[in-house]
Amino acid sequence: MTETEIVNLDITVAIPTYNRASHLPQLLERLLNQTKVEHLNWEIIIVDNNSTDNTAEVIRDSQTKWKGNFPLRYFRETEQGAAFARLRSVREAKGQLIGFLDDDNLPAPDWVAQAVAFDKEHPQAGAWGGQIHGDFEVQPPEKFERIQAFLAIREHGEQPHLFDPDNLRLPPAAALVVRKQAWCDNVPQRPILTGKLPGLLVQGDDYEPLLYIHKARWQIWYNPTMHSYHQIPYWRLEKDYLLSLARGCGLCICQLRFINAKNWQKPIVFIRTFVGNLRRLLQHFIQYKGQSQSDIIALFEMEFYWGSMMSSLYLVKYYLSSVLSKKCK
């Protein structure tokens, strides 16, 4: 293990957060009341990614009133982006396992216990995600199940199975457990994909570390006994948000596929990504011609295919900007 503290706890629950102070008390209450954890040594850490609301005050108040027999720690990560908040979480975590929970994702009462139990049965697992159910403020649109995975909803049945990283079928970071050793030994300290930033909507930051872990031959599992509930407000089902989400999820595709590609494979990946998604885009347009503007699900899918096609060109732009920045230095 490189550049890490000695790990001596069973699990660290890490909560990266940004401007969601109102969500944190309920999440902390859920964690405080976890069941079947009496035998565990664990902790909670909050990583505040430059919040401008009263997140720090809320956590200080929670620490003052804390009744748990495990610590609640707080850190502020000044480099903006969810990827950097997760990296800080890993650096600060004292657990052998790190259970990431988004600040709007509420765990079932036995989430922590089930996370640790899975580790005992699957020592080759580098990461595992569970069932994430939608907790909707308003009714989702018809046929929403076709795109629900883009909003971090995962309901893949009651049997554990391996994910398929080679085809980018992976668990989201909204409720994800990683083995600290697998992360620290393989995930770079400077991510390619940082997470949503002002003016930059590219997604994929939660998949990037998993692909490095997979590349090192660790397994990525689906654990159906871990349940959590993603709180989805009305505005996340509105057209503007959904289309920006679809585009952002598409724009990272080529970069993600390059992570596990050998150098000789990269030109092939580049061309297949562009041509394959151009074909999907045209097929979708023909299938939904005259309907896509009124069918938000079809429109979402078209925007995703467009973003995936453009991800090849976005990758060229990324490398050119990297080269130019190095020359300027």
Side-chain angles (χ1 to χ4, degrees):
M1 199 173 300
T2 58
E3 298 183 6
T4 63
E5 290 186 47
I6 296 174
V7 290
N8 55 13
L9 301 181
D10 297 305
I11 187 170
T12 294
V13 175
I15 305 168
T17 188
Y18 176 70
N19 282 351
R20 287 213 182 104
S22 61
H23 288 66
L24 293 172
Q26 186 180 11
L27 175 51
L28 291 175
E29 186 69 19
R30 288 289 186 101
L31 290 170
L32 187 59
N33 292 310
Q34 288 287 294
T35 61
K36 304 175 186 176
V37 293
E38 296 80 9
H39 63 292
L40 296 180
N41 294 314
W42 64 298
E43 65 175 352
I44 300 170
I45 61 175
I46 308 291
V47 178
D48 180 355
N49 196 200
N50 288 324
S51 296
T52 57
D53 63 3
N54 63 329
T55 290
E57 181 183 340
V58 166
I59 298 305
R60 281 197 298 270
D61 184 61
S62 297
Q63 288 173 318
T64 301
K65 301 173 182 177
W66 193 242
K67 297 179 181 178
N69 57 358
F70 49 92
L72 169 63
R73 300 193 291 145
Y74 170 86
F75 303 94
R76 187 173 180 88
E77 174 51 52
T78 57
E79 192 156 14
Q80 200 69 49
F84 296 113
R86 293 188 200 105
L87 284 165
R88 179 67 181 273
S89 299
V90 173
R91 290 199 301 272
E92 301 295 349
K94 296 180 179 179
Q96 299 175 59
L97 306 176
I98 304 169
F100 288 105
L101 281 171
D102 278 3
D103 50 18
D104 58 358
N105 205 39
L106 299 175
D110 63 346
W111 191 86
V112 171
Q114 294 293 353
V116 175
F118 194 82
D119 167 53
K120 308 300 182 188
E121 299 169 5
H122 298 85
Q124 295 305 310
W128 50 99
Q131 300 201 52
I132 305 178
H133 311 285
D135 182 5
F136 300 97
E137 185 178 6
V138 297
Q139 185 69 23
E142 188 179 356
K143 298 176 286 188
F144 176 74
E145 65 277 0
R146 280 171 30 195
I147 67 166
Q148 66 178 12
F150 291 90
L151 280 89
I153 296 173
R154 295 291 192 277
E155 296 168 324
H156 299 317
E158 301 303 320
Q159 295 301 316
H161 60 257
L162 286 167
F163 279 99
D164 183 10
D166 292 329
N167 290 301
L168 302 185
R169 297 189 181 100
L170 289 163
L176 175 73
V177 182
V178 298
R179 195 178 302 279
K180 185 171 183 179
Q181 178 188 353
W183 182 298
C184 292
D185 289 351
N186 301 293
V187 179
Q189 286 299 304
R190 298 300 305 177
I192 298 171
L193 301 163
T194 61
K196 295 189 294 288
L197 297 172
L200 183 65
L201 302 174
V202 180
Q203 309 277 326
D205 51 286
D206 48 353
Y207 281 8
E208 183 181 350
L210 294 179
L211 289 171
Y212 290 117
I213 290 170
H214 166 66
K215 191 174 183 178
R217 301 186 182 278
W218 288 95
Q219 297 173 346
I220 314 294
W221 278 86
Y222 169 69
N223 173 15
T225 65
M226 286 164 43
H227 293 263
S228 61
Y229 300 86
H230 188 195
Q231 299 171 290
I232 299 177
Y234 73 92
W235 54 266
R236 283 191 174 175
L237 298 176
E238 292 183 341
K239 180 178 176 180
D240 287 348
Y241 177 83
L242 286 174
L243 294 187
S244 68
L245 174 66
R247 192 179 314 118
C249 289
L251 285 173
C252 66
I253 293 297
C254 199
Q255 284 176 303
L256 290 174
R257 291 195 181 283
F258 264 38
I259 290 174
N260 284 338
K262 296 179 175 63
N263 286 335
W264 67 267
Q265 295 174 318
K266 289 180 180 180
I268 300 170
V269 171
F270 182 92
I271 294 169
R272 288 182 64 181
T273 300
F274 186 87
V275 174
N277 284 287
L278 175 60
R279 176 177 54 81
R280 293 185 186 95
L281 188 62
L282 292 173
Q283 288 176 339
H284 211 65
F285 178 78
I286 293 168
Q287 181 179 355
Y288 290 97
K289 186 177 181 181
Q291 302 176 41
S292 61
Q293 292 304 314
S294 59
D295 186 339
I296 186 61
I297 304 302
L299 195 59
F300 182 102
E301 291 168 334
M302 288 188 68
E303 195 72 16
F304 173 68
Y305 295 145
W306 181 89
S308 299
M309 180 183 73
M310 297 302 293
S311 70
S312 299
L313 304 181
Y314 186 86
L315 183 62
V316 172
K317 178 183 175 183
Y318 170 80
Y319 280 119
L320 286 175
S321 62
S322 298
V323 169
L324 289 173
S325 64
K326 287 178 182 177
K327 285 184 176 179
C328 290
K329 291 179 182 177

